[in-house]
Amino acid sequence: MVESRPTVRRRRLAAVLVQLREEAGKTPDEAAERIGCHRSKISRIENARLGISLGELRDLLMFYGVEDQKYVETMANLARRGSEPGWTRHLGATLPSYADHIDYEQTADYIRSWQPFLIAGLFQTPDYARALYRANPEMFSKKQVDEFVDTRMQRQEVLERGTPPRIVVIEGEAALRSQVGGPKIMGPQLDQLLELSDRSNVEIQVLPLNAGAHVGMTGAFVVFGFPTPAFSDVVCVEHVTGTLHMETPEETRSYTLAFDSLRSAALSPVDSLDLIQQVRREL
């Protein structure tokens, strides 16, 4: 196995292997002895720096007391597809970088998003998303647009899971006032923001137009945090042809500081809701 940059699926597999080993009361040394390798290999596997063969995986799962064969096959499939793009690939809707973005979104437990001109993807209504895709000069077919919208709606299922991620979104006032699709579409979209703000895991702030110069003027970005300490934050910056992912501590630290600065400059959550309601009334 060649050591390489962790993929999203490899991260997920590594996190599960750590959990199963700890629940079984086994040490990394015992796991290494079981599959006949050095302890450092177990460390690299559990830090998602090294893949694992199917034979080693099945042996470790047996060692950890996993007897459910359906679960074993699920883990094996995850290992096989460790270097493949995420589930959106099967919809034929996106580039691999966007698929990675969605896999990060599905595995994060803390999402921080700055959106100066658009409603955050996890908060978009189907009609709002459809209007955005139809505005693309590539002139997507109706079938392609439907696939894009279906993908976006599937992304939002993360909001309904048993333990949803904590989500903090800062919207630029311009995003609220832009007439995407006209009042008939923007009205329900703003209503959805108001409804989502009632959730305990969601916080929405608005950066008003009169805020002046600020660090977010360079563009939108999302910071994903993960429940496993070994996995660093990931910053995603979308552009016309894909999504740029950054994981180095220097890069993620800069974006975290930028987000904190934007939160300080934005209206409080209560005042932000007042502004959203005001914009809604003005439609």
Side-chain angles (χ1 to χ4, degrees), residues 59-98:
D59 200 9
L60 282 180
L61 292 178
M62 184 183 299
F63 187 50
Y64 299 156
V66 178
E67 298 179 352
D68 185 339
Q69 287 305 304
K70 184 176 180 180
Y71 185 80
V72 170
E73 287 307 313
T74 298
M75 293 286 286
N77 189 47
L78 193 61
R80 287 190 198 97
R81 299 168 59 205
S83 60
E84 290 182 6
W87 51 266
T88 54
R89 181 82 172 196
H90 302 294
L91 297 176
T94 61
L95 296 170
S97 62
Y98 184 53

Side-chain angles (χ1 to χ4, degrees), residues 11-283:
R11 284 173 179 265
R12 194 177 300 162
L13 178 64
V16 173
L17 284 175
V18 171
Q19 180 182 351
L20 290 174
R21 178 178 58 74
E22 292 178 345
E23 289 177 350
K26 307 297 185 181
T27 67
D29 287 323
E30 289 172 325
E33 182 178 356
R34 172 73 180 200
I35 63 173
C37 70
H38 193 275
R39 185 187 188 283
S40 62
K41 179 175 179 177
I42 296 297
S43 177
R44 296 200 303 277
I45 290 172
E46 293 186 350
N47 283 316
R49 289 292 171 184
L50 187 67
I52 184 171
S53 72
L54 293 182
E56 290 172 334
L57 175 63
R58 293 180 187 279
D59 200 9
L60 282 180
L61 292 178
M62 184 183 299
F63 187 50
Y64 299 156
V66 178
E67 298 179 352
D68 185 339
Q69 287 305 304
K70 184 176 180 180
Y71 185 80
V72 170
E73 287 307 313
T74 298
M75 293 286 286
N77 189 47
L78 193 61
R80 287 190 198 97
R81 299 168 59 205
S83 60
E84 290 182 6
W87 51 266
T88 54
R89 181 82 172 196
H90 302 294
L91 297 176
T94 61
L95 296 170
S97 62
Y98 184 53
D100 286 343
H101 176 96
I102 294 175
D103 270 336
Y104 286 130
E105 197 170 64
Q106 299 298 304
T107 54
D109 68 344
Y110 185 23
I111 301 174
R112 288 158 284 181
S113 179
W114 157 238
Q115 299 296 329
F117 304 118
L118 298 175
I119 303 302
L122 286 176
F123 295 168
Q124 291 176 10
T125 64
D127 286 340
Y128 182 95
R130 186 169 285 105
L132 288 178
Y133 288 123
R134 285 176 174 167
N136 193 303
E138 290 190 27
M139 298 295 292
F140 296 120
S141 68
K142 182 180 183 302
K143 180 181 178 181
Q144 288 175 311
V145 171
D146 288 343
E147 287 178 339
F148 291 147
V149 174
D150 286 345
T151 299
R152 181 140 295 185
M153 295 306 104
Q154 286 189 53
R155 287 170 57 185
Q156 296 179 5
E157 292 177 1
V158 71
L159 301 174
E160 307 301 331
R161 70 189 188 197
T163 306
R166 179 189 176 197
I167 304 175
V168 180
V169 172
I170 303 174
E171 294 281 356
E173 185 177 345
L176 308 180
R177 295 190 178 279
S178 295
Q179 291 288 316
V180 175
K184 289 185 178 180
I185 288 178
M186 283 305 299
Q189 176 62 78
L190 295 176
D191 289 340
Q192 178 145 304
L193 285 184
L194 294 170
E195 292 173 7
L196 289 169
S197 67
D198 286 335
R199 301 191 180 204
S200 60
N201 64 307
V202 173
E203 183 176 304
I204 300 174
Q205 291 182 253
V206 177
L207 189 69
L209 291 170
N210 62 9
H214 55 80
V215 68
M217 299 183 82
T218 54
F221 62 87
V222 182
V223 182
F224 295 114
F226 301 93
T228 305
F231 300 158
S232 62
D233 288 351
V234 175
V235 174
C236 294
V237 178
E238 292 188 52
H239 51 86
V240 174
T241 59
T243 305
L244 174 65
H245 300 124
M246 293 169 280
E247 298 187 36
T248 67
E250 294 77 13
E251 291 169 328
T252 59
R253 187 182 305 113
S254 295
Y255 278 91
T256 297
L257 290 173
F259 190 83
D260 290 343
S261 177
L262 289 167
R263 287 191 76 180
S264 297
L267 299 175
S268 69
V270 172
D271 290 341
S272 295
L273 293 183
D274 288 342
L275 180 55
I276 295 171
Q277 291 170 336
Q278 176 187 327
V279 175
R280 176 69 175 93
R281 289 192 298 268
E282 294 172 359
L283 289 176

